[in-house]
Amino acid sequence: MRIIFAGTPEFAQVALAQLQAAGHEIVLVLTQPDRPAGRGMKLQASPVKQHALAHGIPVAQPRSLRLDGKYPDEAAAAQALLQAAQADVMVVVAYGLILPQWVLDLPRRGCLNIHASLLPRWRGAAPIHRAIEAGDTHTGVAIMQMDAGLDTGAMLLVESLPIAPTDTTGSLHDRLADLGGKMVVQALAQLDTLVPVPQPSEGISYAHKIEKREAAIDWTQTADTIVRRIRAFNPFPGAATLLAGESLKVWAATVSDAALPAGTVYGSIVAVTPESIAVAAMDSIVNITQVQRPGGKRLAVADFLRGCDVQPGMVFENAPDVPQAR
């Protein structure tokens, strides 16, 4: 098929590559404008744009597709490109812009979306993070026929995937991205026979965008909640805490089976071993196993302790530059 592809991050790039490998013709790519990134804050092309340029695919980066919006000239230019592409279908994956009705109506076979959740649970921007944070045991991918709502369209294909107790957003992202690419190729191959299924009206939840302020570890929460949030915020924004005036990122931790001593202060270190730093939470103990100092690398606790004197009785506090997440 002739496909217009709209997407921005690595999750979308994986699907774009699989569509190409399946033999589809990508006639136009829409992606977000280049953003400052890295220590030098230089403008950086999205993973989707980098892939498109490497494969000679035309790219458009409008800041809006609304003809009556803030950037009408950019939207009008994009409209001309989309009309000229004469696409059979548009595939949308984590694009970052709302598609107005004129875009939804343009492709002959409509617009398909790859969404990384079992809809209608976790509609919205951050379904992978929120599924881990909530303690879900399963997630998945839905191929959806897009409509004007936020992830409300009828579903063409749905496939479930287990969430392992050790999964981070990073590890789960990679599995879901690969699954999503395979499923959209399958959906296009079966488009004439697939029957759209409306989403259930029960079980709707929204995966709101991840904010940096959510990074702060709240040691008054349960140990299970803290560990889930550490996993959910790996690799972004990274769970943060403060020890002896130094902000630390906590990248890996487990819940301990050990009993919490009576009267223990939340956030206090109850034990230190080469394998972990045991920290008191509301109901149990969190064993921190991987940390990172500012400007440093991620380190296993044994390596971290060689350069940092950590003793029982010290207390982890909220990082001052990261508001407490409640």
Side-chain angles (χ1 to χ4, degrees), residues 32-233:
Q32 286 281 299
D34 297 358
R35 308 288 191 201
R39 291 188 177 181
M41 295 302 288
K42 295 181 179 179
L43 287 179
Q44 184 170 314
S46 72
V48 164
K49 180 180 178 180
Q50 294 177 41
H51 180 97
L53 294 179
H55 291 82
I57 304 171
V59 176
Q61 298 175 272
R63 286 173 288 180
S64 172
L65 291 169
R66 289 184 54 187
L67 297 170
D68 60 348
K70 188 176 180 180
Y71 306 102
D73 292 344
E74 293 183 29
Q79 183 181 44
L81 288 173
L82 267 66
Q83 289 172 339
Q86 296 184 334
D88 298 307
V89 68
M90 185 171 180
V91 174
V92 183
V93 194
Y95 176 33
L97 289 183
I98 299 295
L99 301 188
Q101 193 63 46
W102 71 261
V103 177
L104 297 174
D105 294 339
L106 190 62
R108 185 172 61 87
R109 305 298 297 272
C111 299
L112 303 188
N113 176 249
I114 305 174
H115 188 76
S117 81
L118 299 176
L119 292 170
R121 185 164 176 79
W122 301 129
R123 295 173 177 171
I128 304 175
H129 298 77
R130 299 306 182 190
I132 292 177
E133 182 185 20
D136 292 0
T137 59
H138 285 77
T139 185
V141 170
I143 306 298
M144 175 178 53
Q145 189 83 51
M146 295 182 70
D147 61 17
L150 176 62
D151 298 329
T152 57
M155 297 179 291
L156 299 174
L157 286 176
V158 179
E159 189 164 335
S160 178
L161 196 70
I163 301 177
T166 56
D167 263 327
T168 64
T169 288
S171 64
L172 188 56
H173 165 282
D174 292 349
R175 300 208 312 278
L176 289 168
D178 183 63
L179 178 61
K182 292 176 180 176
M183 286 176 64
V184 76
V185 170
Q186 179 187 349
L188 291 176
Q190 301 174 354
L191 203 52
D192 291 331
T193 58
L194 290 174
V195 178
V197 177
Q199 294 185 31
S201 57
E202 298 82 26
I204 298 171
S205 62
Y206 288 91
H208 298 287
K209 181 181 177 181
I210 301 297
E211 304 288 347
K212 288 185 178 180
R213 64 177 179 79
E214 297 183 72
I217 297 175
D218 180 356
W219 295 104
T220 68
Q221 294 179 325
T222 67
D224 187 57
T225 298
I226 292 169
V227 170
R228 290 201 313 264
R229 290 171 64 87
I230 291 169
R231 291 165 47 219
F233 298 157

Side-chain angles (χ1 to χ4, degrees), residues 248-264:
L248 299 175
K249 292 283 190 179
V250 179
W251 293 113
T254 60
V255 178
S256 172
D257 293 332
L260 184 65
T264 305

Side-chain angles (χ1 to χ4, degrees), residues 247-285:
S247 181
L248 299 175
K249 292 283 190 179
V250 179
W251 293 113
T254 60
V255 178
S256 172
D257 293 332
L260 184 65
T264 305
V265 175
Y266 299 140
S268 63
I269 297 173
V270 297
V272 178
T273 72
E275 289 75 34
S276 68
I277 300 169
V279 187
M282 185 186 79
D283 62 338
S284 185
I285 294 171

